[in-house]
Amino acid sequence: MSYTRSVLVTGGTSGLGYYAALSLAKKHPDWVIVIASRSDKSQSAASINNTLKQSNTLFLPLNLASLADIRAFVQEWKTRDFPAIQILLLNAALQVPGPVTKTEDGIETTFAIAHVGHALLFHLFFPYLAPRARVVITSSGTHDPAKSKGMPLPEYISAEELARASSPTASEPGRKRYVNSKLANVLWMYALHRRLNNISPDKRPSVSAFDPGLMPGTGLARDAGPFFRWVWYTAFPRMLPLLRWLIDPNIHTAEESGSNLAWVADEAREEEFSGSYFEGRTNIKSSVTSYEEEKQEDLWNWTTKNVSIDEEEKKKFDQLA
């Protein structure tokens, strides 16, 4: 079969990403749906194809914690001769609950996967985006102090501090690094949106950020301690109505949130989608801090400098070339 468009979903082998990929594959059997993660031990791509009685979903390995691996992934993509990318879901994330860990590139792991790796992936894939393509970055309501719900309050000092996790942030809990990475997602979305506005409307990709809500049972807590893993994977999924009543109505199954993510990426009206922050299918205001352009620009400039191999590539990334 000759496919007309591509979709790429990072973290698409489980949870939110899996169900978003499933929804998009079902609606667009003439598109190729690529799910990318470190591994696909559960054969998620085959599961989607078997469920839909189709063959348009495939898996490609991607390690977002390695800038070199991301570049190799894009080279692999080129050899596949996929059609232009219509939807790019920058969805993968994790929490590291213990002491600071860093990637082979010397970047704090949470920030590396949630933001840095996705930013490089976007810049390298920019030439392969279809006209009027859509990019959705999975963030979280925890980026907003007004919606912290027991999580540490996010604090943006600088991109350099988020990346290096030196004193004073090295001693902070892993959950604080997680909420900071989710704030970075929204800051970067607004910085990117401003730059995309310089492209002619008929070709311009658009970008938004998405809060899936709390999703008990998903893989976000895979590195937590035994008791919390039991609560997260066993107790909480059986208590969703109670949790919605006691804590927050924005608590969903991964299937519900995956369907919402697919809807935002594929069906939200263009005038509502571009440069917006969604809680489920509702366009809402993001945190006060996320609108601060000084922080947005600090993050943008640090990112293009540190993911580029040289000044020429940095200029290319800054100009969205």
Side-chain angles (χ1 to χ4, degrees):
M1 179 176 181
S2 179
Y3 296 112
T4 60
R5 285 288 186 267
S6 297
V7 173
L8 175 60
V9 186
T10 69
T13 58
S14 65
L16 174 68
Y18 172 86
Y19 286 108
L22 177 67
S23 294
L24 291 169
K26 181 178 181 179
K27 184 178 178 185
H28 298 287
D30 59 332
W31 291 7
V32 59
I33 313 297
V34 180
I35 56 177
S37 187
R38 281 180 181 259
S39 63
D40 190 16
K41 296 177 181 178
S42 58
Q43 300 294 305
S44 300
S47 173
I48 292 174
N49 288 330
N50 291 336
T51 299
L52 301 177
K53 304 297 187 282
Q54 296 173 184
S55 58
N56 61 321
T57 302
L58 62 92
F59 166 78
L60 288 180
L62 170 63
N63 178 10
L64 281 165
S66 167
L67 299 181
D69 194 80
I70 293 165
R71 290 181 181 274
F73 176 85
V74 176
Q75 290 300 316
E76 170 69 14
W77 184 279
K78 291 179 183 179
T79 69
R80 298 284 184 133
D81 197 29
F82 292 131
I85 299 170
Q86 184 62 42
I87 294 175
L88 178 59
L89 299 184
L90 304 178
N91 168 71
L94 85 168
Q95 287 190 50
V96 181
V100 170
T101 63
K102 295 188 178 181
T103 68
E104 63 189 34
D105 302 296
I107 301 171
E108 191 279 314
T109 304
T110 311
F111 184 65
I113 292 174
H115 168 65
V116 181
H118 279 144
L120 176 59
L121 193 68
F122 168 82
H123 284 296
L124 294 176
F125 271 131
F126 184 76
Y128 302 95
L129 296 179
R132 305 183 68 80
R134 289 188 169 190
V135 180
V136 185
I137 306 162
T138 299
S139 181
S140 167
T142 61
H143 90 279
D144 187 347
K147 298 182 177 183
S148 62
K149 303 298 181 182
M151 292 290 281
L153 300 183
E155 181 184 15
Y156 187 94
I157 298 173
S158 68
E160 177 69 15
E161 184 56 42
L162 291 181
R164 306 309 173 195
S166 58
S167 178
T169 62
S171 60
E172 292 176 339
R175 294 189 306 154
K176 177 75 172 257
R177 294 188 288 275
Y178 173 77
V179 299
N180 284 343
S181 74
K182 294 290 119 180
L183 173 57
N185 288 150
V186 187
L187 289 166
W188 189 76
M189 183 274 289
Y190 288 130
L192 174 58
H193 171 66
R194 280 199 304 278
R195 288 162 171 83
L196 290 172
N197 277 339
N198 295 324
I199 300 172
S200 60
D202 59 321
K203 297 180 179 179
R204 178 189 305 157
S206 52
V207 62
S208 72
F210 173 77
D211 169 22
L214 189 67
M215 295 175 293
T218 59
L220 195 63
R222 57 187 176 271
D223 293 323
F227 176 74
F228 186 79
R229 287 203 307 272
W230 176 83
V231 170
W232 184 255
Y233 290 114
T234 303
F236 277 2
R238 301 174 181 175
M239 303 167 56
L240 291 186
L242 179 62
L243 293 175
R244 290 176 185 136
W245 180 66
L246 289 175
I247 302 175
D248 191 331
N250 190 28
I251 299 177
H252 308 282
T253 66
E255 185 172 3
E256 290 167 345
S257 290
S259 175
N260 290 338
L261 174 55
W263 181 90
V264 169
D266 195 36
E267 299 185 51
R269 293 178 303 154
E270 180 58 36
E271 60 272 22
E272 185 178 24
F273 176 88
S274 188
S276 297
Y277 177 82
F278 285 85
E279 182 181 89
R281 302 189 183 193
T282 305
N283 186 340
I284 67 169
K285 290 287 187 181
S286 55
S287 69
V288 173
T289 301
S290 69
Y291 292 105
E292 295 181 21
E293 288 193 16
E294 182 178 353
K295 291 181 171 62
Q296 296 167 11
E297 292 304 295
D298 171 77
L299 179 63
W300 180 273
N301 291 328
W302 182 95
T303 302
T304 56
K305 176 182 178 181
N306 285 275
V307 302
S308 302
I309 56 176
D310 53 31
E311 282 299 320
E312 182 178 351
E313 188 175 62
K314 182 184 186 308
K315 183 178 180 180
K316 179 180 176 182
F317 289 173
D318 282 330
Q319 295 176 349
L320 297 182

